[in-house]
């Protein structure tokens, strides 16, 4: 089978009893769409063929019938179909990457993506798409990357530690948002600064992990901030475990 750059191969409700080989990148350069197709034996599919040299999976992206942009719904279904192939072939890394790509196009379809504006047209959909992108995509790549979650956890702990450290400064500016009782804000040397930063990092860590020994207590608005960090800690830890289980257990 030779598929040119402008060609398109549709396999819809097909059944293949023999081995299907899509592993030659020189022969398959167009778009491939698979839906409700069963490969009884095995489908050999080189990941580089569908990923492409630019890494954008052009071979799996389905344009709209009128040629105006991408058909996000069909593209999401196509990524899911190819994911199932790699799942049968026990290629976990490729399976999870295609799962992530399918979730991206499902989001575009759900929120009415505008190809020209690169963003949903409706204001409410923009907010929903933004939240989905921030909390699901950037945080965990839709539960497919435990490394992304771990990075988010570290950034969150450090960010809250900085906020707790800056609390006394806001107080001096007339914005009494509270302090963390038990931590001295008197800084007269580099060692005092390092000790102060370490104490706030420690407080952020035990708050994020919801351990809460009780040796340090937030006051004022910082109580709400600390509570929010604890909520993020529970949520991100759960996301981390789910993402890690997908990677380890498949």
């Amino acid at each position: 089978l030779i598929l040119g750059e402008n060609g398109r191969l549709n396999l819809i409700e097909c059944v293949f009893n023999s081995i299907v080989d899509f592993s030659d990148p020189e022969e398959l350069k167009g778009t491939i769409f698979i839906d409700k197709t069963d490969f009884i034996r095995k489908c050999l599919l080189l990941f580089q063929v569908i990923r492409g040299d630019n890494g954008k999976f052009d071979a799996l992206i389905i344009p709209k019938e009128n040629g105006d942009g991408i058909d996000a719904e069909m593209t999401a279904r196509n990524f899911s179909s190819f994911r199932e192939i790699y799942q049968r072939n026990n290629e976990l890394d490729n399976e999870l990457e295609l799962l992530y790509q399918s979730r991206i196009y499902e989001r575009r379809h759900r929120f009415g993506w505008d190809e020209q504006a690169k963003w949903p047209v409706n204001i409410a959909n923009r907010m929903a798409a933004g939240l989905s992108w921030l909390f699901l995509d950037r945080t965990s790549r839709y539960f497919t990357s435990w490394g992304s979650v771990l990075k988010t956890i570290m950034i969150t702990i450090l960010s809250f530690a900085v906020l707790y450290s800056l609390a006394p400064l806001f107080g001096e500016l007339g914005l009494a948002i509270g302090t963390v009782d038990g931590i001295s804000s008197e800084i007269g040397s580099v060692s005092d600064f390092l000790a102060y930063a370490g104490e706030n990092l420690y407080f952020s860590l035990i708050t994020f992990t919801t351990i809460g020994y009780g040796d340090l207590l937030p006051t004022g608005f910082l109580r709400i901030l600390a509570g929010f960090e604890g909520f993020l800690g529970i949520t991100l830890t759960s996301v981390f475990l789910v993402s890690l289980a997908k990677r380890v257990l498949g």
Side-chain angles (χ1 to χ4, degrees):
L1 175 64
I2 299 177
L3 187 63
E5 292 184 2
N6 297 321
R8 175 171 167 178
L9 173 64
N10 293 327
L11 300 178
I12 302 174
E13 296 184 356
C14 300
V15 177
F16 292 91
N17 292 306
S18 59
I19 295 177
V20 179
D21 189 350
F22 289 139
S23 59
D24 191 345
E26 297 301 321
E27 295 182 352
L28 294 173
K29 297 182 179 180
T31 302
I32 310 172
F33 177 71
I34 297 178
D35 188 35
K36 299 177 182 178
T37 293
D38 192 7
F39 299 94
I40 301 299
R41 295 184 66 183
K42 192 171 186 179
C43 179
L44 302 177
L45 185 61
L46 185 66
F47 195 67
Q48 184 60 33
V49 172
I50 62 172
R51 188 183 186 96
D53 295 333
N54 59 6
K56 295 183 178 180
F57 296 94
D58 292 334
L60 304 188
I61 296 176
I62 309 300
K64 293 180 179 178
E65 292 185 359
N66 59 9
D68 183 22
I70 298 172
D71 189 327
E73 181 181 13
M74 296 290 285
T75 300
R77 286 167 56 187
N78 202 25
F79 273 107
S80 294
S81 297
F82 276 87
R83 180 187 68 82
E84 291 175 1
I85 294 175
Y86 287 107
Q87 185 179 39
R88 293 195 203 102
N89 294 346
N90 294 318
E91 299 181 40
L92 181 60
D93 289 342
N94 297 337
E95 176 196 343
L96 292 180
E97 178 61 29
L98 292 180
L99 174 61
Y100 169 62
Q101 295 295 331
S102 69
R103 293 291 185 265
I104 291 177
Y105 286 96
E106 285 175 7
R107 183 182 72 218
R108 291 187 176 190
H109 171 63
R110 185 181 304 115
F111 299 118
W113 197 265
D114 187 300
E115 291 296 330
Q116 299 298 324
K118 300 297 183 182
W119 201 250
V121 177
N122 184 279
I123 299 275
N125 283 353
R126 285 189 183 187
M127 295 179 62
L131 291 173
S132 176
W133 173 83
L134 178 62
F135 291 107
L136 295 176
D137 190 334
R138 293 298 86 190
T139 300
S140 66
R141 288 171 60 90
Y142 288 94
F143 304 97
T144 63
S145 173
W146 64 268
S148 296
V149 187
L150 187 60
K151 181 172 66 175
T152 302
I153 288 174
M154 295 174 64
I155 292 174
T156 301
I157 293 173
L158 290 174
S159 298
F160 275 90
V162 171
L163 290 175
Y164 298 139
S165 299
L166 294 177
L169 178 60
F170 284 107
E172 294 178 3
L173 296 176
L175 300 175
I177 64 173
T179 59
V180 178
D181 284 350
I183 299 180
S184 174
S185 59
E186 297 295 330
I187 301 175
S189 63
V190 175
S191 60
D192 290 340
F193 172 77
L194 293 177
Y196 177 70
E199 286 289 326
N200 282 286
L201 179 60
Y202 161 74
F203 176 70
S204 180
L205 178 62
I206 63 173
T207 301
F208 183 89
T209 55
T210 66
I211 295 175
Y213 289 119
D215 51 343
L216 302 175
L217 298 174
T219 64
F221 177 75
L222 288 190
R223 291 180 297 177
I224 299 177
L225 192 65
F228 181 64
E229 184 184 7
F231 171 76
L232 288 179
I234 295 172
T235 303
L236 289 175
T237 300
S238 301
V239 173
F240 174 77
L241 292 176
V242 171
S243 303
L244 184 61
K246 276 190 176 181
R247 177 65 61 176
V248 175
L249 303 178

